[in-house]
Amino acid sequence: MENSYILETHNLRKSFGGLVAVADVSLRVKPRTLHSIIGPNGAGKTTFFNLLSGNLQPTSGRVIFKGLDITGIPAYRTAHLGIGRSFQITNVFPNLTVEENVRLAAQSLGHDNFKFWSHYLHYSHYQERAREILEQVGLADQARLPASLLPHGGKRKLELGILLAADPELMLLDEPTAGMAREEIPRLMEVIQQIRQQGDKTIMLVEHKMDLVMNVSDWITVMHQGRVLAEGAPAEIAANEVVQAAYLGDLYGDLSEGMA
Amino acid sequence: MQVSLSRRWQKIFSGRGAQGWVYLAVFALLALFPLIAGLTIGNPQAASEGAGFFEGLLQRAESGYAKFWQGMLIQMLILSIFAMSYDILLGYTGILSFGHAMFFGTGGYAIAILIGQHFNWPFFQALGAVVVIAVLQSLIFGILSLRVKGVYLTMVTLAFAEMFFILAEAGDFRQYTGADDGLHGFPVPAYLSATEHRTRFYYLALILFVLVFLAARRLINSPTGRVMIATRDNENRAMMIGFNTFWYKLIAFVAAGVFAALAGALSALFNVSVTPATLTTFRTIDALAMTIIGGVGTLIGPILGAGIIQLLGYWLERWFGANWTLIYGIIFMLIVVFLPYGIVGTLRRRSFGWKAGWARWKQLLTGKAAPG
């Protein structure tokens, strides 16, 4: 039974001085599902992601990925283990072209990183991979543009593209639609749905757009002040009165309406 | 055949259309320079009687202004190698080092000491040792200083370079380093004497320059180099997609260290002297200034910068005497204000603007932010 979860955390805790950002979160993620984490600002969602991806060291607790204890492993190694991470605040290589952004991500997991004597275009499979990905996320036309010149929505797509290029088993998406124009969101969600339908990836999603979360998630964890407030399928969460009262109702209005 | 050969050359030099031909033309000009100089500014009397045209030309190249300007170019080539090596760190990996002179000076001292009276090593063995020493030195100090980032790294590299400067100046090792005086008149092989065979030395410098240029460009365009550039752009993200950036920065450090050491050794051979001054921060600042004037993050930029600084130094000193550095400082400020990305960088971005430059200038002088 132990291995039926791709990711487990045991009493994962992170405190910054006196502030406890993540307080003893124990969570289990089933493989090939879309598991959303919701919660108000400051609930500790991003910090939790940072603990999973190795950007931050936990104060205590453990992270188990595919049966392997990866607690405190640095970010550049979690990437090789199959954990990909996108960022809430756009975090790309601004002066490199869109294609190069994605190509680098593809290159990173190959075995050619230290071949300093040959030209990088010699390894054309990374480029082909990059083009495929750009096609998939809808940035093929902007491939030659420096990433800094992309509009915000484009950068969000690029963020997703960088993540996909490494073909991770577990994708941590930190508010992929943050700051995106409303009309651009469906296109991005389409990409996420596509990834789901391929059926080989596990996605963890932090998102504020509640209608979106309710529609795509298999499982939802609600965090509040660093703790897990509730867990369940979307319908359960929507119906959960504690969640309703403590948080959802205030911020997002009546959920049952969105579900209808 | 002709076409495919030149295509091949073009590919070696650039791989990018018309630019390759420009590189090739500049290289041809540099390669022919001793002959052109011999023909135009060499002393006609220097050609021995009965010498053929070509032979006479070479003899004329060893005389008068032809010899002098070859010397200028040799120094430019040496400084170019040094500045290019610096830009591998600053422009391509985003590491601001204030200790780059450490490699330049150590390279110079290493060759001088090894071919000198205490060791008497054959020249090429000593040159090989310079490379080995540079690799070890850059590995050790790279591993130590790359543990910190940003301004802390700058300070740590500064401290390491000062350490070597103090070592070179220390009286304790006077018999090896010559302490304050440095080393002079060590036995450079006669066939490499820059006073006797200026043209030969010129070609040596040119060959080394081209090799370093090609090697640096290959490094930058390699998978490894692309990661260096990614590290410069956004180190955090580079780690996040699976690169342990430490190794890439270390490779940049070693490459830059070896190239700088070669420049230092060549400089020592050319001047037949090496002094503690080659280890000072001023030397590093030279490289920094050349890189900034020419364009950070390009290889052509530092080369142009090195040439411009060498020429400016020569002319300004002739025109303004001892106070030439004042004028030089003003020119440097003007370049930074009007060409914020350096000459090559500004050209590439096509971002030159008198108005923007003028606004920045006013802001600099008045301390007030320009409106808008």
Side-chain angles (χ1 to χ4, degrees), chain A residues 154-192:
Chain A
K155 282 183 189 147
R156 300 308 303 173
K157 288 179 196 164
L158 179 57
E159 186 81 38
L160 191 63
I162 293 174
L163 180 63
L164 283 173
D167 200 21
E169 262 179 88
L170 173 65
M171 299 173 56
L172 307 174
L173 301 177
D174 196 353
E175 289 199 49
T177 66
M180 253 183 148
R182 198 98 203 153
E183 61 271 18
E184 283 183 296
I185 293 173
R187 175 75 184 86
L188 194 82
M189 289 318 294
E190 213 177 281
V191 177
I192 293 177

Side-chain angles (χ1 to χ4, degrees), chain B residues 168-189:
Chain B
E169 269 209 325
D172 312 54
F173 311 107
R174 182 178 294 277
Q175 57 163 332
Y176 290 106
T177 62
D180 288 340
D181 304 327
L183 293 168
H184 306 276
F186 42 84
V188 176

Side-chain angles (χ1 to χ4, degrees), chain A residues 55 76 79-80 87 91-96 100 103-104 107-108 112-118 120 159 162, chain B residues 218-219 221-224 226-227 229-230 232-234 236-244 247-248 251:
Chain A
N55 289 54
Y76 59 83
H80 287 266
F87 291 82
N91 193 355
V92 297
F93 302 107
N95 298 310
L96 307 186
E100 181 67 4
R103 200 198 61 80
L104 274 164
Q107 183 195 305
S108 93
D112 307 306
N113 291 329
F114 290 105
K115 295 187 176 157
F116 57 81
W117 55 86
S118 53
Y120 75 102
E159 186 81 38
I162 293 174
Chain B
R218 180 34 67 89
L219 171 67
N221 284 326
S222 74
T224 315
R226 300 323 279 187
V227 184
I229 296 172
R232 173 201 72 192
D233 234 33
N234 187 346
N236 209 349
R237 184 60 187 209
M239 306 256 280
M240 210 47 248
I241 59 176
F243 294 115
N244 186 355
W247 294 111
Y248 299 90
I251 290 171

Side-chain angles (χ1 to χ4, degrees), chain B residues 70-234:
Chain B
Q70 281 180 76
M72 284 291 278
L73 267 175
I74 289 169
Q75 290 178 58
M76 281 184 207
L77 292 172
I78 291 171
L79 288 176
S80 296
I81 297 172
F82 185 46
M84 273 193 284
S85 77
Y86 191 74
D87 204 30
I88 292 177
L89 283 182
L90 179 68
Y92 288 100
T93 321
I95 296 172
L96 178 61
S97 162
F98 270 4
H100 205 51
M102 173 172 76
F103 300 113
F104 186 86
T106 308
Y109 271 100
I111 194 102
I113 292 172
L114 288 175
I115 63 175
Q117 49 176 341
H118 292 286
F119 292 90
N120 262 318
W121 279 19
F123 174 70
F124 285 101
Q125 189 181 334
L127 198 64
V130 166
V131 173
V132 173
I133 290 169
V135 169
L136 291 177
Q137 191 183 24
S138 51
L139 275 178
I140 293 168
F141 293 101
I143 287 169
L144 289 175
S145 51
L146 289 173
R147 301 187 67 83
V148 289
K149 283 174 189 167
V151 72
Y152 304 103
L153 185 140
T154 308
M155 291 298 117
V156 169
T157 52
L158 176 65
F160 286 144
E162 284 300 295
M163 200 171 90
F164 275 84
F165 171 65
I166 291 166
L167 267 178
E169 269 209 325
D172 312 54
F173 311 107
R174 182 178 294 277
Q175 57 163 332
Y176 290 106
T177 62
D180 288 340
D181 304 327
L183 293 168
H184 306 276
F186 42 84
V188 176
Y191 60 87
L192 269 181
S193 158
T195 34
E196 296 295 315
H197 306 288
R198 181 64 52 98
T199 305
R200 192 180 287 170
F201 200 96
Y202 173 83
Y203 282 117
L204 174 73
L206 183 62
I207 289 168
L208 191 70
F209 164 79
V210 171
L211 287 180
V212 168
F213 175 74
L214 292 177
R217 221 181 43 161
R218 180 34 67 89
L219 171 67
I220 284 154
N221 284 326
S222 74
T224 315
R226 300 323 279 187
V227 184
M228 289 175 193
I229 296 172
T231 305
R232 173 201 72 192
D233 234 33
N234 187 346

